[in-house]
Amino acid sequence: MIPRYTPPEIASIFSDESRLQRWLDVELLACEAWAELGRIPRDALPELRRATVDPDRVAQLEAEQGHDLAAFVNAVQETVGDAGRYLHLGLTSSDIVDTALATQLRDAAAVIQADAASLEAALVEQAERHRLTVMMGRTHGVHAEPLTLGVKLANFVDEVRRARARLHAATEEVAVGQVSGTVGTHAGLPPEIEEHVCRGLNLGVAPVTTQVIARDRHAAFVNALALLAAVLERLATTVRLLQITEVDEVEEPFSAKQKGSSAMPHKRNPILSERICGLARVVRGAAVT
């Protein structure tokens, strides 16, 4: 997503710095668990916890090695000296990548849920305020019977609540980690390591994996986002239709210095609603993928 349409909180969660730090968090928690089992000396942990990760160095090594996770491990090992040999013990790449991704999706969902909760509260407030504001009801865009703006908004309240519930359920489903080793058999990696890592990241444990977390979890998550986006698009489309000059029953906010057109000073376009409609299609496209 281009910066113009990227919320800073979401951009921060999915930045290279955030991704690599989350990878490091998984590695260090695994080292702690190995130390508890006596496989790694405890006196190596302080040195390991001083590890840092430089995105530029990882990119440089990845260009040489053609493997992102191997480059990451090598880059981190360079910052901790001899103790670096204990990093990535028994782990496979997806143990790190999938588990870290689960924390990103969970944290992003929390941001989205907070925004959706604010939207729901605003819709409730407006529905109550306009419970007796009479307006023309329309079917097929044609006058039908009168209703109130409150009733129209109450429908959106109900839709947003259902969308939030779906997203909550999908987030619970996707917020699981795995540290089960190559092909997911725990052959060289006891379940205690996995349990320690997931507990430290506040994730559930995927009960069975191959060497990746099953992608139906991620598909459900993206589909929940697509449905939420569709709800927002229907709301935004309603605003756009009601803001047509010939109707002019509802308008978006328009600030004192805002300009609707470079050529026509009278224009007050529903630009926010138009953006919502366009971006909702992007989210639905991701669901297809």
Side-chain angles (χ1 to χ4, degrees), residues 73-196:
V73 172
N74 290 161
V76 174
Q77 286 173 327
E78 293 174 350
T79 71
V80 294
D82 189 56
R85 70 184 188 274
Y86 299 119
L87 282 169
H88 208 60
L89 180 62
L91 305 177
T92 194
S93 298
S94 295
D95 290 331
I96 308 302
V97 174
D98 282 7
T99 302
L101 176 61
T103 69
Q104 290 177 296
L105 298 180
R106 177 201 62 201
D107 293 352
V111 175
I112 295 168
Q113 279 283 16
D115 286 346
S118 295
L119 170 62
E120 181 184 330
L123 287 169
V124 168
E125 179 185 354
Q126 293 294 339
E128 291 176 346
R129 177 180 300 172
H130 293 286
R131 66 190 185 280
L132 299 178
T133 301
V134 179
M135 63 185 297
M136 201 65 225
R138 297 174 176 86
T139 58
H140 306 277
V142 178
H143 284 192
E145 297 288 340
L147 47 65
T148 69
L149 179 56
V151 169
K152 184 181 287 287
L153 294 175
N155 278 276
F156 290 112
V157 172
D158 196 34
E159 284 191 28
V160 170
R161 284 177 176 167
R162 290 197 301 276
R164 290 186 62 208
R166 280 189 292 265
L167 179 57
H168 175 76
T171 302
E172 291 286 306
E173 194 170 288
V174 83
V176 297
Q178 68 157 39
V179 185
S180 52
T182 55
V183 303
T185 61
H186 286 284
L189 198 70
E192 290 86 350
I193 306 296
E194 182 175 64
E195 292 164 5
H196 180 90

Side-chain angles (χ1 to χ4, degrees), residues 215-271:
R215 268 26 185 183
D216 65 294
R217 297 177 183 271
H218 304 80
F221 182 79
V222 176
N223 274 281
L225 292 176
L227 282 166
L228 174 56
V231 170
L232 301 181
E233 183 180 13
R234 193 174 87 82
L235 173 57
T237 299
T238 298
V239 173
R240 293 174 66 184
L241 291 173
L242 294 178
Q243 192 167 330
I244 291 172
T245 303
E246 288 80 7
V247 178
D248 200 25
E249 294 177 351
V250 169
E251 287 188 0
E252 283 187 5
F254 198 86
S255 64
K257 295 185 178 181
Q258 186 174 340
K259 294 183 182 295
S261 168
S262 64
M264 297 172 285
H266 67 281
K267 294 282 282 179
R268 294 168 64 99
N269 301 326
I271 185 66

